[in-house]
């Protein structure tokens, strides 16, 4: 899920921002009065699952408070451009934003820990790390320094590796490949000779047609389907090792959050927790049929060869060391996460993995 | 997770039940007044994760309503015995109960669909079926006939297959095996010559010692650890094909639920949704260290041989047909679930399975 995936509509900040006042001022209202917040999503309404997750949080908070805590969810670009959501929350222009924290690794690689790193935790393991493993506290210790509270609020699950015009048979096939991808996954591929670039989602098809790029990754079948890439880059590779489970979160201005009555804090936390699983379940429910339609439409499913996976894994190990050298906050969280992950993987190999792998060969 | 796992403390209904009045009478109070509900758990406080899930729901609802909707969570036996939770909710003796619906397959096999059937959905797939696949509506259409609303509220994930004194190398090794297990998994094993029996958790060790039983299954390492069975039946088998993901739910008296103000309905729903993922994450966080300690203490991990898994799968297919013939409600939900499952398994084979299986061999 490249940071530029959803930028099409985000030309400029929309008028009205200057009128907003600060979040802290609004939330200082007494508990009995109505509190009104604005939530900016980094995603357009057309990406139904992602925007729907933000919208669910807003609606639930309204229901939970009998309409006394009103949050309106705004699509990307309506108040601020998608990649300025965090800045706007930090400044208090908006009280909260629903986004993927790894969009902000330019500020500090540690923001990646709020979404994923390549070869990181899967969706369920991320929940365990966040809720019971100490992840929530660690990440919030970091984001509080920017004046932001982070509430886990969504996951895509393992993504696909992307659409390729030609088959990838060896590591050498990556050399010089012009690939529309970004983030830390893109940085890994750069080490293997891939020429990465970022493009708005709406320009991918024509770039593949013109040969400006050879390959492109987006997210999961339910979203990928709308790009129609099976017509032009039919090899559809998995798994998305760069995003084994990509978490979203609700970034909340810390002053605004701290000023909320306890019941409203609980409403925001509980609604975000519900939305977290709602989003993963939604993708899980939509992906199978979307994948079938893609294959019927010409997509050719391919697993990345083990040697390519191994090369990406090795390059990622280097990248993680570089990011750790650059950012003490990244280093602290990454080491904590990896220790947790080792245990998780060992356990998932047993009951969960044993059950799942039997079911893949059972004739149900 | 046998239905008798947690019965030790449940001798008799506890005094006080007769004083309760009906749930409907209590919840008819105006929204501005305090509403007080009692929640009966089917589990003792000592099973920390299971009782903790009920307690989280009760606490969250209190926080969300500023203390105006007060629910007290009671451990198994405090108000009603663990296996009478559903009856008590139906009658309105208590307003709600936190339990595993498959404990009530004696009433109708269809209750299993609220927890799991053998070789059914894993935890994440169950969420997708329930939240977005139509499962919640189907199951509630069924439970509403008993005057009960069901809210999904927890999952154990894939369980272990149990503790065995001797290795299970062939299907023939199951013949005559005295196995402490129950539910539909037990019915499957009966078809393969296993002699199943139910025992309270506290009596398992001595039954193994005396030779009254040869094997016993409980739940997952985090719970299994307290039974100390590695000393007496060291072969610890996986996967728990009988419970690939066991869901719990909050069973709510329908009249009491329908009489709630909308904000309190939302509080109950959202808190249950949060607790659903909280519980799975808690087991995921605890199991790895518990499994390590068990292995260090003498447990010998073993995968069930493929031929044994296949035989159980075949016997389960017969059992599902028998249950479908017996109960139209089971048939309707089971067929719906299996169709959903086929798609899920096909999709999980791709990105999710591809990612997870690489990670099991990666040197993280």
């Amino acid at each position: 899920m490249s940071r530029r995936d959803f930028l099409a509509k985000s030309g400029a900040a929309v008028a009205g921002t200057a009128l907003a006042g600060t979040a802290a001022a609004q939330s200082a209202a007494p508990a009995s009065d109505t509190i009104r917040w604005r939530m900016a999503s980094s995603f357009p309404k057309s990406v139904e699952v992602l925007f729907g997750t933000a919208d669910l949080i807003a609606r639930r908070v309204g229901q939970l408070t009998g309409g006394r805590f009103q949050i309106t969810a705004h699509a990307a670009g309506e108040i601020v451009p998608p990649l300025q959501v965090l800045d706007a929350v930090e400044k208090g222009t908006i009280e909260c934003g629903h986004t993927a924290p790894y969009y902000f690794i330019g500020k500090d690689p540690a923001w990646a820990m709020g979404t994923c790193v390549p070869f990181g935790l899967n969706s369920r393991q991320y929940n365990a790390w966040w809720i019971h493993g100490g992840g929530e506290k660690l990440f919030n210790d970091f984001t509080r320094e920017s004046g932001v509270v982070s509430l886990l609020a969504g996951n895509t699950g393992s993504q696909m590796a992307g659409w390729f015009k030609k088959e990838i048979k060896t590591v050498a096939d990556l050399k010089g490949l012009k690939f529309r991808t970004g983030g830390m996954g893109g940085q890994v591929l750069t080490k293997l000779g891939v020429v990465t670039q970022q493009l708005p989602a709406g320009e991918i098809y024509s770039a593949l047609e013109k040969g400006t790029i050879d390959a492109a990754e987006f997210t999961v079948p339910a979203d990928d389907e709308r790009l129609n890439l099976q017509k032009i880059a039919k090899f559809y590779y998995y798994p998305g090792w760069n995003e084994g489970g990509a978490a979203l979160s609700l970034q909340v201005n810390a002053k605004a959050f701290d000023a909320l009555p306890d019941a409203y804090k609980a409403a925001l936390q509980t609604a975000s927790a519900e939305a977290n699983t709602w989003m993963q379940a939604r993708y899980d429910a939509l992906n199978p049929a979307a994948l079938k339609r893609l294959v019927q439409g010409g997509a050719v499913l391919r697993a990345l060869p083990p040697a390519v996976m191994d090369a990406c894994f090795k390059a990622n190990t280097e990248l993680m060391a570089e990011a750790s050298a650059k950012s003490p906050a990244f280093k602290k969280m990454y080491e904590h996460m990896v220790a947790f992950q080792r245990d998780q993987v060992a356990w998932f190999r047993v009951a969960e993995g044993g059950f799942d792998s039997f079911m893949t060969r059972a004739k149900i």
Side-chain angles (χ1 to χ4, degrees), chain A residues 77 104 154 194 204 223 227 250 253 296 315 319 346:
Chain A
F104 309 104
V194 171
I204 298 175
D223 290 337
L227 300 184
L250 191 69
N253 179 281
Q296 281 159 3
L319 183 72

Side-chain angles (χ1 to χ4, degrees), chain A residues 71-152:
Chain A
I71 303 178
T72 47
H74 297 270
E78 274 183 33
I79 306 178
V80 288
L83 299 185
Q84 289 177 29
V85 164
L86 179 61
D87 282 341
V89 172
E90 287 180 5
K91 285 179 200 148
T93 313
I94 50 174
E95 292 80 6
C96 59
H98 188 243
T99 189
Y102 70 175
Y103 290 159
F104 309 104
I105 52 172
K107 292 173 185 281
D108 189 316
W111 283 98
M113 300 305 300
T115 303
C116 64
V117 291
F119 298 102
L121 300 164
N122 72 20
S123 158
R124 210 173 104 179
Q125 293 163 350
Y126 192 87
N127 286 339
W129 180 67
W130 185 271
I131 302 171
H132 298 289
E136 178 172 20
K137 186 186 178 310
L138 274 176
F139 193 65
N140 274 272
D141 286 348
F142 166 71
T143 66
R144 276 268 182 187
E145 288 174 20
S146 305
V148 169
V149 170
S150 291
L151 305 175
L152 181 60

Side-chain angles (χ1 to χ4, degrees), chain A residues 162-168 177-179 204-216 229 231-237:
Chain A
W163 299 91
F164 294 74
K165 282 184 161 182
K166 290 184 185 163
E167 281 186 90
I168 301 295
L177 189 85
K178 289 169 285 178
F179 189 14
I204 298 175
Y205 191 98
S206 69
L208 282 163
E209 205 168 34
K210 285 178 207 151
T212 319
I213 55 174
D214 307 307
L229 303 186
K231 306 287 182 201
I232 190 101
K234 70 178 179 183
F235 296 106
Y236 194 24
Y237 274 93

Side-chain angles (χ1 to χ4, degrees), chain A residues 160-162 164 168-169 174 236-242 302-309 312:
Chain A
M160 298 293 288
F164 294 74
I168 301 295
K169 291 182 174 168
L174 296 175
Y236 194 24
Y237 274 93
Y238 65 91
W241 50 267
N242 53 330
R302 285 278 186 275
L304 284 171
V308 171
M309 291 288 287
C312 293

Side-chain angles (χ1 to χ4, degrees), chain A residues 6 46-50 156 158-160 163 218-228 236 279-294:
Chain A
F6 307 110
S46 59
V47 185
E48 175 247 325
V49 181
L50 299 183
T156 62
S158 286
Q159 298 189 13
M160 298 293 288
W163 299 91
F218 195 54
T219 60
V220 290
D223 290 337
D224 281 8
E225 200 181 6
R226 79 189 71 211
L227 300 184
N228 233 9
Y236 194 24
M279 176 175 147
Q280 179 62 79
R282 186 87 184 130
Y283 272 124
D284 284 341
L286 293 173
N287 280 332
L291 183 62
K292 270 191 213 171
R293 287 189 297 267
L294 284 166

Side-chain angles (χ1 to χ4, degrees), chain A residues 191-207:
Chain A
K191 288 176 180 287
L192 299 172
V194 171
V195 181
T196 67
Q197 47 187 294
Q198 299 192 342
L199 278 176
E203 294 173 25
I204 298 175
Y205 191 98
S206 69

